[in-house]
Amino acid sequence: LNLGLESLHVRMPQHCKNGQAAAELLQAHPKIRFVRYPGLQGDPYYELAQKYMPNGTCGVVSFGFEGGRAAAEQFMKSLKLAQIATHVADARTCVLHPANATHRQMNDEELVACGISPDMVRLSCGLEATDDLIADVAQALEVGRQRQTSADRLDDAGHGHRRHSHLVRRDAEPGGGFEQLGGLVADDLQVAFLVDVGVVAIHQLQIGRASC
């Protein structure tokens, strides 16, 4: 902590610059439902920020998606520079979906009651070059928008149900079937894995024998 504090005054200008740029990009995007950032005009804390933080506010931007929880998860999956982590003021940009992380124990109604909507994402901007960070956020927004458009076209054409990333195949169960998992599953974290009860059981047995 002390090492971080020693260089904080050097890092903060870039955190603030990236946060301001990201907030302005998000505010102008049609896919975004709201943006919370004190450096934006119209924000409830804008006047206070101008008074007490005239040289920049922070690097943390919170925003929500018109497409709800699924759109938020798709955006995070599509980012290339940012890492999914709870950190703030890190050298690398960190992104978090509170509904699937820090507040995952709450249902949607409880999330709204405490001021966290299921579609909300928290972006803590790091020290990357501003142009690189903005380009990454922009491409992630566009990927989600294109996929949403394609899915809508499939639905309109009657080509079946939209794919849901929170359904994981369980081939070990009789007749296959699906199990619905709450929150962001490994597929959304770009990690390919199968939930196979038989394989897991064998693996656990092998671990148990190895530890004896």
Side-chain angles (χ1 to χ4, degrees):
L1 180 61
N2 286 337
L3 289 175
L5 290 176
E6 287 176 356
S7 61
L8 185 62
H9 68 288
V10 179
R11 305 196 317 267
M12 281 311 299
Q14 187 63 20
H15 287 307
C16 294
K17 180 182 178 182
N18 285 345
Q20 184 72 36
E24 292 175 358
L25 170 69
L26 292 163
Q27 187 181 46
H29 201 281
K31 187 178 178 181
I32 301 303
R33 186 171 66 86
F34 70 87
V35 179
R36 296 173 187 160
Y37 185 75
L40 288 178
Q41 289 189 14
D43 186 90
Y45 300 101
Y46 177 76
E47 297 299 332
L48 287 176
Q50 294 303 299
K51 179 179 179 179
Y52 294 108
M53 296 178 285
N55 297 322
T57 57
C58 67
V60 179
V61 187
S62 296
F63 52 98
F65 286 81
E66 292 288 356
R69 182 191 290 262
E73 293 174 352
Q74 181 59 57
F75 169 79
M76 292 179 59
K77 180 179 178 180
S78 302
L79 288 168
K80 298 177 181 179
L81 287 179
Q83 61 178 337
I84 299 176
T86 59
H87 306 163
V88 294
D90 201 309
R92 183 177 178 182
T93 293
C94 299
V95 65
L96 182 72
H97 185 216
N100 282 327
T102 55
H103 295 70
R104 63 185 177 275
Q105 73 276 14
M106 298 181 177
N107 58 39
D108 287 356
E109 291 74 19
E110 292 170 335
L111 287 170
V112 172
C114 69
I116 298 176
S117 57
D119 64 331
M120 191 182 85
V121 168
R122 190 192 75 189
L123 186 72
S124 177
C125 299
L127 303 180
E128 298 90 349
T130 304
D131 290 345
D132 291 342
L133 177 59
I134 293 305
D136 188 35
V137 173
Q139 69 81 24
L141 288 169
E142 205 56 34
V143 168
R145 191 177 183 184
Q146 291 171 355
R147 292 193 178 187
Q148 183 69 30
T149 302
S150 299
D152 289 341
R153 288 175 180 171
L154 284 175
D155 283 349
D156 291 341
H159 289 166
H161 297 291
R162 198 173 296 174
R163 176 185 177 273
H164 293 280
S165 61
H166 59 285
L167 296 177
V168 178
R169 187 70 188 232
R170 297 186 63 185
D171 293 325
E173 292 183 352
F178 292 92
E179 177 185 22
Q180 184 167 346
L181 301 180
L184 202 64
V185 297
D187 178 60
D188 286 327
L189 295 175
Q190 297 179 326
V191 179
F193 78 105
L194 293 176
V195 179
D196 190 320
V197 177
V199 173
V200 171
I202 293 173
H203 182 61
Q204 290 176 339
L205 180 60
Q206 291 173 339
I207 292 175
R209 288 177 177 174
S211 62
C212 293

